[in-house]
Amino acid sequence: MITALIAEDEPILAATLAAALQRQWPELSIVSNCANGIDALAQAMALQPQVLFLDIKMPGKSGLEVAQELADAWSGPAPFPQTVFVTAYDEFAVQAFDREAADYVLKPVSDERLARTVARLRQRLQDKPAGGLETLAAQLRALGVPMATQRLNVIRAAVGNQVRMVPVSEVVYFEAADKYVNVVTADSEVLIRMSLKELLPQLDEQVFWQVHRGTIVNSSCVLSALREEGGKMSLALRGRPEKLRVSPLYAHLFRQM
């Protein structure tokens, strides 16, 4: 029997999706129905279902945040679940999913669209049951295209009663720290009041790579990528002694050419 988790904060829509799935996929067992992202993350870790249906916008954590955090924390033994995002009106998401041949369900649920998603999921679970993480990485990359914006050349950081000017080219990596971002150079660290999500579109994507939901690294400062026991990966840096963890979602950046 295939198991699934639904995360949807609107009870009627959650029940409608569950009923439609039961009609089209009778052997599917819905093991949990969560009304917010925090519960969805906890239940997915505990139950390790084979399929996730995640509402993109819900309380606590969005479906995208649940998927990213789950990928970072997943250690099996079950393969990472196939993931379907649920969206009410996000036209860009729908276009991106169609380009990537990934999976989404548009609210209200259409039997015709859900049938295509079910067929995809059945095929993936049959052909490549352990490919959920690879598929999720493609989905998140499809959704992660930033809007065009002016590139940052200098970081302005308040240090005491001074404003320190840090050339972006000197930054080794950026790291999320609560409501701040820690800007790390070869010989110093400063905090700026900005989220990593706000910062990322302002950086040159050819140079600065997101390697974890909380880390962006200057690719020219990466000395090597090391695969560790259990399939984990870390980066050794030029000019810094610490190693940076790479999320499985971004491991493709360091595959051998």
Side-chain angles (χ1 to χ4, degrees), residues 41-201:
L41 181 60
Q43 288 291 297
M45 286 296 297
L47 299 173
Q48 300 199 349
Q50 290 153 287
V51 183
L52 300 174
F53 290 88
L54 302 177
D55 189 7
I56 285 183
K57 295 184 178 180
M58 58 182 165
K61 295 179 186 292
S62 72
L64 299 178
E65 290 171 330
V66 170
Q68 288 177 309
E69 292 186 33
L70 188 62
D72 288 340
W74 193 267
S75 57
F80 192 84
Q82 298 290 334
T83 304
V84 178
F85 290 107
V86 181
T87 178
Y89 49 82
D90 194 335
E91 183 180 349
F92 170 72
V94 171
Q95 293 173 351
F97 286 150
D98 280 340
R99 284 200 306 273
E100 293 292 324
D103 296 305
Y104 71 92
V105 174
L106 190 63
K107 296 188 283 188
V109 177
S110 157
D111 280 351
E112 181 183 357
R113 183 63 187 85
L114 185 60
R116 296 204 304 271
T117 293
V118 167
R120 276 181 188 166
L121 291 171
R122 286 178 183 268
Q123 195 65 49
R124 284 182 181 151
L125 289 168
Q126 179 180 328
D127 293 347
K128 196 175 181 183
L133 192 57
E134 180 182 320
T135 302
L136 176 63
Q139 289 171 305
L140 294 179
R141 287 197 298 273
L143 285 172
V145 181
M147 299 295 290
T149 186
Q150 187 174 356
R151 298 296 185 197
L152 274 180
N153 292 315
V154 175
I155 300 289
R156 298 170 178 84
V159 180
N161 59 358
Q162 298 180 339
V163 176
R164 184 174 169 194
M165 312 292 280
V166 182
V168 171
S169 59
E170 294 182 7
V171 176
V172 178
Y173 66 93
F174 298 94
E175 186 173 42
D178 294 326
K179 296 179 181 179
Y180 296 84
V181 169
N182 191 26
V183 181
V184 182
T185 67
D187 56 9
S188 67
E189 300 181 27
V190 292
L191 290 173
I192 56 173
R193 193 174 180 84
M194 177 184 285
S195 71
L196 215 62
K197 185 177 181 180
E198 293 170 317
L199 175 66
L200 185 58

Side-chain angles (χ1 to χ4, degrees), residues 213-224:
R213 61 189 172 87
T215 312
I216 299 169
V217 69
N218 184 336
S219 59
S220 67
C221 295
V222 176
L223 184 62
S224 62

Side-chain angles (χ1 to χ4, degrees), residues 3-21:
T3 58
L5 176 149
I6 293 175
E8 166 61 67
D9 63 314
E10 299 181 50
I12 293 176
L13 292 178
T16 300
L17 176 57
L21 284 168

Side-chain angles (χ1 to χ4, degrees), residues 209-213 215-217 235 245-247 250 253-254:
W209 299 353
Q210 185 161 16
V211 296
H212 189 275
R213 61 189 172 87
T215 312
I216 299 169
V217 69
L235 303 179
R245 183 185 169 197
V246 178
S247 165
Y250 304 103
L253 294 171
F254 303 98

